[in-house]
Amino acid sequence: MQKTISPWGKQCKMQMISLGKSLTDISRETGFSRTYISAIINGRIVAPEETKHKISKSLSVDTDFILSE
């Protein structure tokens, strides 16, 4: 069973490209591992809202995308 990427995850990916940020950059800013961030953005695991807010802040993603999941 494969998870689909949420609207929030899609927005995060677009912002990563737009801002030229890598998972390593986000990892440094949030304190979470690259693999954990990747799994959250790609919808492989469910993370607490607080974690998603930290990632959103790092990428300047509107937090309304979190609520639409």
Side-chain angles (χ1 to χ4, degrees), residues 6-51:
S6 68
W8 174 80
K10 289 178 185 177
Q11 186 66 26
C12 286
K13 286 183 171 219
M14 290 179 2
Q15 279 293 95
M16 285 176 67
I17 293 166
S18 174
L19 298 172
K21 287 191 174 185
S22 67
L23 286 173
T24 302
D25 297 328
I26 301 165
S27 177
R28 282 189 208 119
E29 293 172 6
T30 61
F32 302 123
S33 75
R34 291 175 340 133
T35 54
Y36 183 56
I37 295 167
S38 175
I40 294 167
I41 290 174
N42 288 308
R44 291 190 305 269
I45 62 171
V46 177
E49 262 192 49
E50 181 180 323
T51 301

Side-chain angles (χ1 to χ4, degrees), residues 2-14 37-47 52 55-56 61-69:
Q2 187 171 359
K3 289 269 195 175
T4 59
I5 298 176
S6 68
W8 174 80
K10 289 178 185 177
Q11 186 66 26
C12 286
K13 286 183 171 219
M14 290 179 2
I37 295 167
S38 175
I40 294 167
I41 290 174
N42 288 308
R44 291 190 305 269
I45 62 171
V46 177
K52 289 184 176 183
I55 295 169
S56 294
V61 170
D62 188 357
T63 55
D64 289 342
F65 280 101
I66 295 172
L67 301 175
S68 67
E69 293 183 355

